[in-house]
Amino acid sequence: MTATTVVGSWRTAAARTRLAGRPAAVPPTVVVAFAVLLVVLLWSLAPGIFASQDPAGGVPADKLLGPSAAHWFGTDHLGRDLFSRVVHGTASSVTSALVAVTIGVVVGGAIGLVAGSAGGWTDVVLARVVDVLLAIPSFLLAVVIVSSLGFQTVNAAIATGISAVAVFARVMRAEVIKTRRAVFVEAAVLQGGSRTHVLLRHVLPNASRSLLALAVLQFGLSILVIAGLAFLGYGDPPPASDWGLLVSSGKDYPTAPWLVYAPALVVVATVVSVNRISRWLRRTD
């Protein structure tokens, strides 16, 4: 090995050492995904700032106008501005997805925590219940639940959350079982910590870290499921402007394709952005 090779190898190792101490750069696609989600969240929080036109009232003379500077997404069969309807429908879609994710995280996380920490027959019974829920397609389970509760968006959110309980329970159970075997947990037990203290102070915070990426991913899936339920008529009736309902209403007017692809593109952009962020979170965990 020559001196030049040795110096080059030393410089390469030094460069790697310096880079190892720096935080990993956020990929451009993740930045774009965060920007899309930021816009969606702003739409849901303050729709009037971004869309000044009335989402429920229209001008009959302006019906079925194509996208233009005056109407970015065009108008529907009643002359209503489609962009305003999409923006004002964001709050319902986002809030419903958040409700669904919250139900899945809280209920599923509790089931997984009890099953993974108790063990024995408790673990066996809860694991079999989770297996039964996983065997039922989530969308079919959501349709059955919302049919029993009533055709409203809030019921669709509850149904979507219940259908996601099994996934969160399975992940939490596996993480709890793995964390219980960690050295720091055994040390806490040997120091005299009670079972409840060790479970809440050491096991739960570390086991729940994996639920973050899953919750983000489930948020996007919940948007799709709730939009699908609204498309089938299981959400709020017109003049509501849920994204799925807008797509369902637009399919009746084949000569105005923007009535379908405008809200559909918003749904796709939101879900793809959420999935990209979830993948990035899993890699950085």
Side-chain angles (χ1 to χ4, degrees):
M1 181 180 294
T2 63
T4 303
T5 305
V6 173
V7 173
S9 301
W10 178 83
R11 289 178 177 176
T12 302
R16 291 177 178 175
T17 302
R18 290 194 301 269
L19 291 175
R22 300 178 182 177
V26 180
T29 54
V30 177
V31 175
V32 174
F34 273 112
V36 171
L37 281 187
L38 178 61
V39 171
V40 171
L41 290 177
L42 291 177
W43 282 1
S44 64
L45 294 175
I49 297 178
F50 300 92
S52 58
Q53 301 189 43
D54 185 6
V59 181
D62 294 338
K63 66 179 182 180
L64 299 180
L65 295 179
S68 62
H71 305 283
W72 290 0
F73 289 173
T75 61
D76 63 5
H77 62 289
L78 297 178
R80 296 174 296 190
D81 183 68
L82 185 59
F83 177 74
S84 295
R85 290 181 58 76
V86 170
V87 172
H88 283 81
T90 304
S92 176
S93 301
V94 171
T95 303
S96 301
L98 288 176
V99 170
V101 172
T102 301
I103 293 174
V105 170
V106 174
V107 179
I111 293 175
L113 181 64
V114 172
S117 59
W121 283 104
T122 302
D123 184 21
V124 173
V125 172
L126 292 178
R128 298 295 79 79
V129 172
V130 170
D131 290 339
V132 171
L133 291 177
L134 289 174
I136 304 174
S138 58
F139 189 82
L140 177 60
L141 180 60
V143 169
V144 172
I145 295 174
V146 76
S147 299
S148 303
L149 297 178
F151 296 171
Q152 293 181 355
T153 301
V154 62
N155 293 336
I158 295 174
T160 305
I162 294 176
S163 65
V165 165
V167 178
F168 286 99
R170 174 66 64 85
V171 173
M172 176 59 85
R173 174 182 175 274
E175 291 296 324
V176 169
I177 293 176
K178 182 177 67 175
T179 306
R180 283 176 55 193
R181 301 171 182 172
V183 176
F184 66 89
V185 174
E186 295 179 355
V189 174
L190 293 176
Q191 289 178 356
S194 64
R195 184 173 183 178
T196 303
H197 172 77
V198 173
L199 183 64
L200 299 180
R201 180 66 178 82
H202 299 284
V203 176
L204 180 59
N206 289 276
S208 60
R209 291 176 57 188
S210 298
L211 293 185
L212 176 59
L214 179 59
V216 175
L217 181 64
Q218 186 63 37
F219 177 75
L221 180 60
S222 298
I223 290 178
L224 281 179
V225 173
I226 293 172
L229 292 173
F231 180 86
L232 296 176
Y234 292 102
D236 292 336
S241 57
D242 294 347
W243 290 345
L245 181 61
L246 292 178
V247 176
S248 177
S249 301
K251 67 179 176 57
D252 297 329
Y253 301 91
T255 58
W258 57 86
L259 296 179
V260 173
Y261 68 67
L265 285 177
V266 173
V267 174
V268 171
T270 303
V271 174
V272 170
S273 299
V274 170
N275 290 348
R276 181 66 186 92
I277 294 174
S278 176
R279 288 171 52 196
W280 176 67
L281 290 175
R282 289 200 303 270
R283 292 179 180 179
T284 57
D285 187 9

